[in-house]
Amino acid sequence: MLKYGKRFISSLLVVAMLISGLTTVAFAEESSQADKVVMTEDFQSCDVGASTVKGYSCVTKGNEWKIKEEDGNKFYAMTVNTSSDAYFNGTLPEVLGGKFVFQFDIRFLDYGPVEKLLYFAADGGGDIFTIKFNADGTMTTNDGTFIANYALNKFYTVTLEMDADKDTMSVKFNNKWRRLNHP
């Protein structure tokens, strides 16, 4: 049985990216803790122009990060404009086991020359890499299995349903299942 660490990390390399709307982690319906929301963030309480968000760590390495607002919705904008990587880290209030859901909205302004990663970091090592947004406009699982194509300047909702007991994940892209029970 796999336990997902308390930290999730979005690692970005030379890309312009926006994370918007609701980032939510909740236990899946089939779990014994169904519908328990562990963490949620909509950035609405943040000041426009702020370069930090309470509860998150952002390693910029010379890149630009700040809260922006469009059409009344605030979002965290990350522009990676150096050859260095950058991170947007969040810490969950508890280690996740069993079944849980991780969902976020994302929009890319530039494909950039390298992949973008979403992964969970275990406190003692054993990071769990889940999905990649590749420079060719494709989204894949960590092992390269195709999930979807993505275009620039469009928001997408990505939902990961993780099953730590079975070491699988199911991926929904814009409310359409793309991968079920992927190892």
Side-chain angles (χ1 to χ4, degrees):
M1 178 174 79
L2 187 62
K3 291 285 186 190
Y4 287 78
K6 290 174 65 175
R7 204 161 38 109
F8 66 88
I9 299 173
S10 175
S11 174
L12 308 171
L13 305 170
V14 195
V15 67
M17 174 179 153
L18 303 173
I19 292 184
S20 165
L22 211 50
T23 300
T24 303
V25 180
F27 286 96
E29 291 178 12
E30 298 83 15
S31 77
S32 60
Q33 301 182 58
D35 299 326
K36 174 186 171 188
V37 175
V38 178
M39 179 180 157
T40 186
E41 177 61 66
D42 65 4
F43 302 109
Q44 298 310 300
S45 64
C46 299
D47 293 329
V48 173
S51 60
T52 60
V53 177
K54 184 179 178 182
Y56 298 90
S57 63
C58 306
V59 180
T60 62
K61 298 184 182 179
N63 299 295
E64 298 173 10
W65 306 70
K66 63 183 171 182
I67 297 292
K68 290 188 175 182
E69 186 172 6
E70 283 181 15
D71 301 324
N73 293 312
K74 293 180 183 177
F75 54 89
Y76 202 59
M78 299 178 275
T79 302
V80 181
N81 53 14
T82 73
S83 59
S84 297
D85 59 0
Y87 298 91
F88 178 75
N89 301 335
T91 301
L92 302 171
E94 60 189 79
V95 173
L96 300 178
K99 294 180 180 180
F100 66 94
V101 175
F102 185 83
Q103 180 175 307
F104 58 95
D105 294 325
I106 193 164
R107 174 177 72 174
F108 291 91
L109 300 178
D110 183 347
Y111 289 115
V114 295
E115 65 192 19
K116 285 64 71 184
L117 308 169
L118 173 74
Y119 65 96
F120 293 86
D123 291 334
D127 297 344
I128 299 137
F129 290 85
T130 57
I131 58 172
K132 296 178 183 179
F133 293 93
N134 302 296
D136 64 359
T138 61
M139 178 181 162
T140 62
T141 62
N142 188 52
D143 66 6
T145 303
F146 178 80
I147 297 171
N149 290 308
Y150 67 92
L152 300 180
N153 298 311
K154 180 178 178 184
F155 275 106
Y156 295 99
T157 299
V158 178
T159 305
L160 304 175
E161 291 194 1
M162 314 297 282
D163 188 332
D165 296 333
K166 295 181 181 177
D167 295 338
T168 62
M169 72 174 175
S170 296
V171 182
K172 191 184 286 188
F173 186 76
N174 271 3
N175 296 316
K176 181 179 178 185
W177 288 109
R178 300 300 180 107
R179 287 285 161 246
L180 295 173
N181 301 315
H182 186 79

PDB file of all heavy atoms in Angstrom, residues 74-106:
ATOM      1  N   LYS A  74      -9.515  35.405  -9.321  1.00  0.00           N
ATOM      2  CA  LYS A  74      -8.092  35.508  -9.035  1.00  0.00           C
ATOM      3  C   LYS A  74      -7.418  34.164  -9.290  1.00  0.00           C
ATOM      4  O   LYS A  74      -8.031  33.115  -9.148  1.00  0.00           O
ATOM      5  CB  LYS A  74      -7.881  35.925  -7.587  1.00  0.00           C
ATOM      6  CG  LYS A  74      -8.358  37.336  -7.307  1.00  0.00           C
ATOM      7  CD  LYS A  74      -8.123  37.706  -5.871  1.00  0.00           C
ATOM      8  CE  LYS A  74      -8.671  39.085  -5.572  1.00  0.00           C
ATOM      9  NZ  LYS A  74      -8.516  39.424  -4.149  1.00  0.00           N
ATOM     10  N   PHE A  75      -6.158  34.248  -9.672  1.00  0.00           N
ATOM     11  CA  PHE A  75      -5.394  33.037  -9.927  1.00  0.00           C
ATOM     12  C   PHE A  75      -3.927  33.317  -9.681  1.00  0.00           C
ATOM     13  O   PHE A  75      -3.503  34.468  -9.623  1.00  0.00           O
ATOM     14  CB  PHE A  75      -5.606  32.515 -11.354  1.00  0.00           C
ATOM     15  CG  PHE A  75      -5.334  33.534 -12.422  1.00  0.00           C
ATOM     16  CD1 PHE A  75      -4.063  33.693 -12.951  1.00  0.00           C
ATOM     17  CD2 PHE A  75      -6.357  34.351 -12.892  1.00  0.00           C
ATOM     18  CE1 PHE A  75      -3.824  34.637 -13.942  1.00  0.00           C
ATOM     19  CE2 PHE A  75      -6.119  35.294 -13.881  1.00  0.00           C
ATOM     20  CZ  PHE A  75      -4.849  35.442 -14.404  1.00  0.00           C
ATOM     21  N   TYR A  76      -3.169  32.258  -9.509  1.00  0.00           N
ATOM     22  CA  TYR A  76      -1.736  32.375  -9.281  1.00  0.00           C
ATOM     23  C   TYR A  76      -1.048  32.216 -10.623  1.00  0.00           C
ATOM     24  O   TYR A  76      -1.150  31.172 -11.257  1.00  0.00           O
ATOM     25  CB  TYR A  76      -1.274  31.309  -8.293  1.00  0.00           C
ATOM     26  CG  TYR A  76       0.015  31.675  -7.616  1.00  0.00           C
ATOM     27  CD1 TYR A  76       0.111  32.846  -6.870  1.00  0.00           C
ATOM     28  CD2 TYR A  76       1.126  30.876  -7.710  1.00  0.00           C
ATOM     29  CE1 TYR A  76       1.291  33.198  -6.236  1.00  0.00           C
ATOM     30  CE2 TYR A  76       2.308  31.211  -7.076  1.00  0.00           C
ATOM     31  CZ  TYR A  76       2.376  32.375  -6.337  1.00  0.00           C
ATOM     32  OH  TYR A  76       3.552  32.724  -5.725  1.00  0.00           O
ATOM     33  N   ALA A  77      -0.375  33.257 -11.074  1.00  0.00           N
ATOM     34  CA  ALA A  77       0.282  33.251 -12.376  1.00  0.00           C
ATOM     35  C   ALA A  77       1.766  32.978 -12.179  1.00  0.00           C
ATOM     36  O   ALA A  77       2.411  33.623 -11.361  1.00  0.00           O
ATOM     37  CB  ALA A  77       0.084  34.592 -13.072  1.00  0.00           C
ATOM     38  N   MET A  78       2.255  32.026 -12.943  1.00  0.00           N
ATOM     39  CA  MET A  78       3.660  31.664 -12.858  1.00  0.00           C
ATOM     40  C   MET A  78       4.265  31.784 -14.246  1.00  0.00           C
ATOM     41  O   MET A  78       3.837  31.110 -15.169  1.00  0.00           O
ATOM     42  CB  MET A  78       3.800  30.237 -12.351  1.00  0.00           C
ATOM     43  CG  MET A  78       3.211  30.049 -10.976  1.00  0.00           C
ATOM     44  SD  MET A  78       3.313  28.350 -10.401  1.00  0.00           S
ATOM     45  CE  MET A  78       1.832  27.677 -11.144  1.00  0.00           C
ATOM     46  N   THR A  79       5.230  32.661 -14.387  1.00  0.00           N
ATOM     47  CA  THR A  79       5.911  32.830 -15.659  1.00  0.00           C
ATOM     48  C   THR A  79       7.361  32.421 -15.473  1.00  0.00           C
ATOM     49  O   THR A  79       8.100  33.075 -14.744  1.00  0.00           O
ATOM     50  CB  THR A  79       5.837  34.299 -16.136  1.00  0.00           C
ATOM     51  OG1 THR A  79       4.471  34.662 -16.230  1.00  0.00           O
ATOM     52  CG2 THR A  79       6.501  34.464 -17.485  1.00  0.00           C
ATOM     53  N   VAL A  80       7.735  31.340 -16.103  1.00  0.00           N
ATOM     54  CA  VAL A  80       9.105  30.845 -15.992  1.00  0.00           C
ATOM     55  C   VAL A  80       9.857  31.365 -17.204  1.00  0.00           C
ATOM     56  O   VAL A  80       9.657  30.905 -18.319  1.00  0.00           O
ATOM     57  CB  VAL A  80       9.134  29.305 -15.924  1.00  0.00           C
ATOM     58  CG1 VAL A  80      10.556  28.809 -15.773  1.00  0.00           C
ATOM     59  CG2 VAL A  80       8.268  28.823 -14.762  1.00  0.00           C
ATOM     60  N   ASN A  81      10.694  32.375 -16.978  1.00  0.00           N
ATOM     61  CA  ASN A  81      11.363  33.042 -18.082  1.00  0.00           C
ATOM     62  C   ASN A  81      12.887  32.947 -17.987  1.00  0.00           C
ATOM     63  O   ASN A  81      13.597  33.759 -18.543  1.00  0.00           O
ATOM     64  CB  ASN A  81      10.921  34.502 -18.162  1.00  0.00           C
ATOM     65  CG  ASN A  81      11.085  35.225 -16.841  1.00  0.00           C
ATOM     66  OD1 ASN A  81      11.752  34.735 -15.947  1.00  0.00           O
ATOM     67  ND2 ASN A  81      10.448  36.369 -16.726  1.00  0.00           N
ATOM     68  N   THR A  82      13.374  31.971 -17.239  1.00  0.00           N
ATOM     69  CA  THR A  82      14.812  31.731 -17.154  1.00  0.00           C
ATOM     70  C   THR A  82      15.069  30.278 -17.525  1.00  0.00           C
ATOM     71  O   THR A  82      14.143  29.502 -17.715  1.00  0.00           O
ATOM     72  CB  THR A  82      15.362  31.987 -15.736  1.00  0.00           C
ATOM     73  OG1 THR A  82      14.929  30.926 -14.881  1.00  0.00           O
ATOM     74  CG2 THR A  82      14.898  33.320 -15.178  1.00  0.00           C
ATOM     75  N   SER A  83      16.311  29.895 -17.562  1.00  0.00           N
ATOM     76  CA  SER A  83      16.634  28.493 -17.840  1.00  0.00           C
ATOM     77  C   SER A  83      16.573  27.656 -16.569  1.00  0.00           C
ATOM     78  O   SER A  83      16.751  26.447 -16.611  1.00  0.00           O
ATOM     79  CB  SER A  83      18.026  28.382 -18.471  1.00  0.00           C
ATOM     80  OG  SER A  83      18.991  28.937 -17.593  1.00  0.00           O
ATOM     81  N   SER A  84      16.285  28.298 -15.431  1.00  0.00           N
ATOM     82  CA  SER A  84      16.155  27.581 -14.164  1.00  0.00           C
ATOM     83  C   SER A  84      14.740  27.049 -14.003  1.00  0.00           C
ATOM     84  O   SER A  84      13.788  27.591 -14.557  1.00  0.00           O
ATOM     85  CB  SER A  84      16.460  28.514 -12.990  1.00  0.00           C
ATOM     86  OG  SER A  84      17.787  28.969 -13.053  1.00  0.00           O
ATOM     87  N   ASP A  85      14.611  26.028 -13.186  1.00  0.00           N
ATOM     88  CA  ASP A  85      13.281  25.521 -12.886  1.00  0.00           C
ATOM     89  C   ASP A  85      12.630  26.402 -11.821  1.00  0.00           C
ATOM     90  O   ASP A  85      13.223  27.352 -11.329  1.00  0.00           O
ATOM     91  CB  ASP A  85      13.337  24.060 -12.442  1.00  0.00           C
ATOM     92  CG  ASP A  85      14.214  23.865 -11.208  1.00  0.00           C
ATOM     93  OD1 ASP A  85      14.770  24.846 -10.689  1.00  0.00           O
ATOM     94  OD2 ASP A  85      14.335  22.718 -10.767  1.00  0.00           O
ATOM     95  N   ALA A  86      11.410  26.091 -11.482  1.00  0.00           N
ATOM     96  CA  ALA A  86      10.672  26.814 -10.465  1.00  0.00           C
ATOM     97  C   ALA A  86       9.645  25.863  -9.872  1.00  0.00           C
ATOM     98  O   ALA A  86       9.242  24.899 -10.519  1.00  0.00           O
ATOM     99  CB  ALA A  86       9.989  28.033 -11.085  1.00  0.00           C
ATOM    100  N   TYR A  87       9.222  26.126  -8.637  1.00  0.00           N
ATOM    101  CA  TYR A  87       8.287  25.223  -7.962  1.00  0.00           C
ATOM    102  C   TYR A  87       7.169  25.992  -7.294  1.00  0.00           C
ATOM    103  O   TYR A  87       7.378  27.080  -6.763  1.00  0.00           O
ATOM    104  CB  TYR A  87       9.004  24.420  -6.870  1.00  0.00           C
ATOM    105  CG  TYR A  87      10.084  23.529  -7.377  1.00  0.00           C
ATOM    106  CD1 TYR A  87      11.396  23.968  -7.474  1.00  0.00           C
ATOM    107  CD2 TYR A  87       9.792  22.232  -7.761  1.00  0.00           C
ATOM    108  CE1 TYR A  87      12.396  23.142  -7.944  1.00  0.00           C
ATOM    109  CE2 TYR A  87      10.789  21.389  -8.236  1.00  0.00           C
ATOM    110  CZ  TYR A  87      12.085  21.849  -8.316  1.00  0.00           C
ATOM    111  OH  TYR A  87      13.067  21.025  -8.783  1.00  0.00           O
ATOM    112  N   PHE A  88       5.993  25.400  -7.277  1.00  0.00           N
ATOM    113  CA  PHE A  88       4.863  25.877  -6.495  1.00  0.00           C
ATOM    114  C   PHE A  88       4.498  24.698  -5.603  1.00  0.00           C
ATOM    115  O   PHE A  88       4.010  23.674  -6.081  1.00  0.00           O
ATOM    116  CB  PHE A  88       3.690  26.253  -7.427  1.00  0.00           C
ATOM    117  CG  PHE A  88       2.467  26.712  -6.697  1.00  0.00           C
ATOM    118  CD1 PHE A  88       2.422  27.979  -6.125  1.00  0.00           C
ATOM    119  CD2 PHE A  88       1.360  25.898  -6.589  1.00  0.00           C
ATOM    120  CE1 PHE A  88       1.289  28.407  -5.475  1.00  0.00           C
ATOM    121  CE2 PHE A  88       0.219  26.321  -5.940  1.00  0.00           C
ATOM    122  CZ  PHE A  88       0.182  27.583  -5.373  1.00  0.00           C
ATOM    123  N   ASN A  89       4.778  24.817  -4.308  1.00  0.00           N
ATOM    124  CA  ASN A  89       4.606  23.706  -3.375  1.00  0.00           C
ATOM    125  C   ASN A  89       3.444  23.968  -2.437  1.00  0.00           C
ATOM    126  O   ASN A  89       3.303  25.060  -1.902  1.00  0.00           O
ATOM    127  CB  ASN A  89       5.850  23.521  -2.506  1.00  0.00           C
ATOM    128  CG  ASN A  89       7.098  23.253  -3.309  1.00  0.00           C
ATOM    129  OD1 ASN A  89       7.035  22.754  -4.414  1.00  0.00           O
ATOM    130  ND2 ASN A  89       8.236  23.609  -2.754  1.00  0.00           N
ATOM    131  N   GLY A  90       2.671  22.944  -2.195  1.00  0.00           N
ATOM    132  CA  GLY A  90       1.617  23.013  -1.194  1.00  0.00           C
ATOM    133  C   GLY A  90       1.769  21.858  -0.236  1.00  0.00           C
ATOM    134  O   GLY A  90       2.213  20.777  -0.623  1.00  0.00           O
ATOM    135  N   THR A  91       1.424  22.073   1.019  1.00  0.00           N
ATOM    136  CA  THR A  91       1.509  21.021   2.022  1.00  0.00           C
ATOM    137  C   THR A  91       0.102  20.664   2.475  1.00  0.00           C
ATOM    138  O   THR A  91      -0.650  21.526   2.943  1.00  0.00           O
ATOM    139  CB  THR A  91       2.357  21.473   3.229  1.00  0.00           C
ATOM    140  OG1 THR A  91       3.658  21.820   2.759  1.00  0.00           O
ATOM    141  CG2 THR A  91       2.472  20.358   4.258  1.00  0.00           C
ATOM    142  N   LEU A  92      -0.232  19.407   2.332  1.00  0.00           N
ATOM    143  CA  LEU A  92      -1.543  18.926   2.761  1.00  0.00           C
ATOM    144  C   LEU A  92      -1.538  18.760   4.279  1.00  0.00           C
ATOM    145  O   LEU A  92      -0.496  18.495   4.877  1.00  0.00           O
ATOM    146  CB  LEU A  92      -1.842  17.590   2.081  1.00  0.00           C
ATOM    147  CG  LEU A  92      -1.815  17.629   0.550  1.00  0.00           C
ATOM    148  CD1 LEU A  92      -1.895  16.223  -0.023  1.00  0.00           C
ATOM    149  CD2 LEU A  92      -2.948  18.482   0.030  1.00  0.00           C
ATOM    150  N   PRO A  93      -2.700  18.874   4.909  1.00  0.00           N
ATOM    151  CA  PRO A  93      -2.735  18.791   6.369  1.00  0.00           C
ATOM    152  C   PRO A  93      -2.533  17.375   6.912  1.00  0.00           C
ATOM    153  O   PRO A  93      -2.365  17.196   8.110  1.00  0.00           O
ATOM    154  CB  PRO A  93      -4.129  19.315   6.717  1.00  0.00           C
ATOM    155  CG  PRO A  93      -4.928  19.108   5.489  1.00  0.00           C
ATOM    156  CD  PRO A  93      -3.981  19.228   4.340  1.00  0.00           C
ATOM    157  N   GLU A  94      -2.535  16.387   6.056  1.00  0.00           N
ATOM    158  CA  GLU A  94      -2.338  15.012   6.508  1.00  0.00           C
ATOM    159  C   GLU A  94      -1.804  14.168   5.369  1.00  0.00           C
ATOM    160  O   GLU A  94      -1.954  14.511   4.198  1.00  0.00           O
ATOM    161  CB  GLU A  94      -3.635  14.419   7.042  1.00  0.00           C
ATOM    162  CG  GLU A  94      -4.752  14.369   6.004  1.00  0.00           C
ATOM    163  CD  GLU A  94      -6.095  13.977   6.590  1.00  0.00           C
ATOM    164  OE1 GLU A  94      -6.762  14.847   7.195  1.00  0.00           O
ATOM    165  OE2 GLU A  94      -6.459  12.796   6.441  1.00  0.00           O
ATOM    166  N   VAL A  95      -1.160  13.056   5.740  1.00  0.00           N
ATOM    167  CA  VAL A  95      -0.697  12.101   4.738  1.00  0.00           C
ATOM    168  C   VAL A  95      -1.929  11.399   4.185  1.00  0.00           C
ATOM    169  O   VAL A  95      -2.831  11.023   4.937  1.00  0.00           O
ATOM    170  CB  VAL A  95       0.280  11.082   5.370  1.00  0.00           C
ATOM    171  CG1 VAL A  95       0.630   9.989   4.378  1.00  0.00           C
ATOM    172  CG2 VAL A  95       1.532  11.793   5.838  1.00  0.00           C
ATOM    173  N   LEU A  96      -1.990  11.239   2.862  1.00  0.00           N
ATOM    174  CA  LEU A  96      -3.175  10.664   2.239  1.00  0.00           C
ATOM    175  C   LEU A  96      -2.962   9.200   1.902  1.00  0.00           C
ATOM    176  O   LEU A  96      -1.980   8.833   1.272  1.00  0.00           O
ATOM    177  CB  LEU A  96      -3.517  11.441   0.970  1.00  0.00           C
ATOM    178  CG  LEU A  96      -3.821  12.919   1.168  1.00  0.00           C
ATOM    179  CD1 LEU A  96      -4.106  13.586  -0.161  1.00  0.00           C
ATOM    180  CD2 LEU A  96      -4.980  13.118   2.122  1.00  0.00           C
ATOM    181  N   GLY A  97      -3.900   8.386   2.303  1.00  0.00           N
ATOM    182  CA  GLY A  97      -3.927   6.976   1.953  1.00  0.00           C
ATOM    183  C   GLY A  97      -5.316   6.652   1.450  1.00  0.00           C
ATOM    184  O   GLY A  97      -6.196   7.510   1.403  1.00  0.00           O
ATOM    185  N   GLY A  98      -5.548   5.434   1.036  1.00  0.00           N
ATOM    186  CA  GLY A  98      -6.862   5.074   0.514  1.00  0.00           C
ATOM    187  C   GLY A  98      -7.133   5.786  -0.798  1.00  0.00           C
ATOM    188  O   GLY A  98      -6.237   6.019  -1.593  1.00  0.00           O
ATOM    189  N   LYS A  99      -8.389   6.159  -1.013  1.00  0.00           N
ATOM    190  CA  LYS A  99      -8.768   6.849  -2.242  1.00  0.00           C
ATOM    191  C   LYS A  99      -8.969   8.335  -1.963  1.00  0.00           C
ATOM    192  O   LYS A  99      -9.589   8.701  -0.976  1.00  0.00           O
ATOM    193  CB  LYS A  99     -10.064   6.268  -2.789  1.00  0.00           C
ATOM    194  CG  LYS A  99      -9.945   4.839  -3.243  1.00  0.00           C
ATOM    195  CD  LYS A  99     -11.264   4.336  -3.772  1.00  0.00           C
ATOM    196  CE  LYS A  99     -11.134   2.894  -4.232  1.00  0.00           C
ATOM    197  NZ  LYS A  99     -12.404   2.382  -4.755  1.00  0.00           N
ATOM    198  N   PHE A 100      -8.437   9.173  -2.848  1.00  0.00           N
ATOM    199  CA  PHE A 100      -8.658  10.598  -2.719  1.00  0.00           C
ATOM    200  C   PHE A 100      -8.625  11.246  -4.090  1.00  0.00           C
ATOM    201  O   PHE A 100      -8.180  10.660  -5.075  1.00  0.00           O
ATOM    202  CB  PHE A 100      -7.643  11.261  -1.767  1.00  0.00           C
ATOM    203  CG  PHE A 100      -6.220  11.243  -2.251  1.00  0.00           C
ATOM    204  CD1 PHE A 100      -5.699  12.310  -2.953  1.00  0.00           C
ATOM    205  CD2 PHE A 100      -5.411  10.154  -1.982  1.00  0.00           C
ATOM    206  CE1 PHE A 100      -4.379  12.295  -3.393  1.00  0.00           C
ATOM    207  CE2 PHE A 100      -4.091  10.137  -2.411  1.00  0.00           C
ATOM    208  CZ  PHE A 100      -3.580  11.207  -3.117  1.00  0.00           C
ATOM    209  N   VAL A 101      -9.109  12.487  -4.165  1.00  0.00           N
ATOM    210  CA  VAL A 101      -9.214  13.245  -5.412  1.00  0.00           C
ATOM    211  C   VAL A 101      -8.388  14.511  -5.282  1.00  0.00           C
ATOM    212  O   VAL A 101      -8.438  15.196  -4.258  1.00  0.00           O
ATOM    213  CB  VAL A 101     -10.683  13.609  -5.703  1.00  0.00           C
ATOM    214  CG1 VAL A 101     -10.788  14.491  -6.938  1.00  0.00           C
ATOM    215  CG2 VAL A 101     -11.524  12.357  -5.852  1.00  0.00           C
ATOM    216  N   PHE A 102      -7.634  14.823  -6.333  1.00  0.00           N
ATOM    217  CA  PHE A 102      -6.874  16.072  -6.410  1.00  0.00           C
ATOM    218  C   PHE A 102      -7.317  16.747  -7.702  1.00  0.00           C
ATOM    219  O   PHE A 102      -7.207  16.162  -8.774  1.00  0.00           O
ATOM    220  CB  PHE A 102      -5.369  15.774  -6.448  1.00  0.00           C
ATOM    221  CG  PHE A 102      -4.514  17.006  -6.418  1.00  0.00           C
ATOM    222  CD1 PHE A 102      -4.216  17.614  -5.209  1.00  0.00           C
ATOM    223  CD2 PHE A 102      -4.003  17.553  -7.575  1.00  0.00           C
ATOM    224  CE1 PHE A 102      -3.416  18.757  -5.155  1.00  0.00           C
ATOM    225  CE2 PHE A 102      -3.208  18.686  -7.536  1.00  0.00           C
ATOM    226  CZ  PHE A 102      -2.919  19.285  -6.320  1.00  0.00           C
ATOM    227  N   GLN A 103      -7.833  17.977  -7.600  1.00  0.00           N
ATOM    228  CA  GLN A 103      -8.375  18.656  -8.783  1.00  0.00           C
ATOM    229  C   GLN A 103      -7.855  20.083  -8.857  1.00  0.00           C
ATOM    230  O   GLN A 103      -7.711  20.755  -7.843  1.00  0.00           O
ATOM    231  CB  GLN A 103      -9.896  18.679  -8.710  1.00  0.00           C
ATOM    232  CG  GLN A 103     -10.546  19.371  -9.898  1.00  0.00           C
ATOM    233  CD  GLN A 103     -12.047  19.266  -9.849  1.00  0.00           C
ATOM    234  OE1 GLN A 103     -12.582  18.185  -9.721  1.00  0.00           O
ATOM    235  NE2 GLN A 103     -12.714  20.404  -9.915  1.00  0.00           N
ATOM    236  N   PHE A 104      -7.593  20.551 -10.083  1.00  0.00           N
ATOM    237  CA  PHE A 104      -7.149  21.920 -10.273  1.00  0.00           C
ATOM    238  C   PHE A 104      -7.501  22.378 -11.677  1.00  0.00           C
ATOM    239  O   PHE A 104      -7.737  21.582 -12.572  1.00  0.00           O
ATOM    240  CB  PHE A 104      -5.639  22.059 -10.039  1.00  0.00           C
ATOM    241  CG  PHE A 104      -4.794  21.181 -10.927  1.00  0.00           C
ATOM    242  CD1 PHE A 104      -4.259  21.670 -12.104  1.00  0.00           C
ATOM    243  CD2 PHE A 104      -4.544  19.869 -10.573  1.00  0.00           C
ATOM    244  CE1 PHE A 104      -3.484  20.859 -12.926  1.00  0.00           C
ATOM    245  CE2 PHE A 104      -3.771  19.044 -11.391  1.00  0.00           C
ATOM    246  CZ  PHE A 104      -3.241  19.543 -12.569  1.00  0.00           C
ATOM    247  N   ASP A 105      -7.554  23.695 -11.850  1.00  0.00           N
ATOM    248  CA  ASP A 105      -7.729  24.322 -13.157  1.00  0.00           C
ATOM    249  C   ASP A 105      -6.378  24.881 -13.570  1.00  0.00           C
ATOM    250  O   ASP A 105      -5.652  25.416 -12.745  1.00  0.00           O
ATOM    251  CB  ASP A 105      -8.757  25.447 -13.102  1.00  0.00           C
ATOM    252  CG  ASP A 105     -10.148  24.933 -12.799  1.00  0.00           C
ATOM    253  OD1 ASP A 105     -10.495  23.833 -13.239  1.00  0.00           O
ATOM    254  OD2 ASP A 105     -10.877  25.647 -12.108  1.00  0.00           O
ATOM    255  N   ILE A 106      -6.066  24.792 -14.859  1.00  0.00           N
ATOM    256  CA  ILE A 106      -4.759  25.241 -15.335  1.00  0.00           C
ATOM    257  C   ILE A 106      -4.886  25.807 -16.744  1.00  0.00           C
ATOM    258  O   ILE A 106      -5.737  25.370 -17.520  1.00  0.00           O
ATOM    259  CB  ILE A 106      -3.743  24.079 -15.287  1.00  0.00           C
ATOM    260  CG1 ILE A 106      -2.320  24.570 -15.462  1.00  0.00           C
ATOM    261  CG2 ILE A 106      -4.101  22.979 -16.265  1.00  0.00           C
ATOM    262  CD1 ILE A 106      -1.276  23.540 -15.051  1.00  0.00           C
TER     263      ILE A 106
END
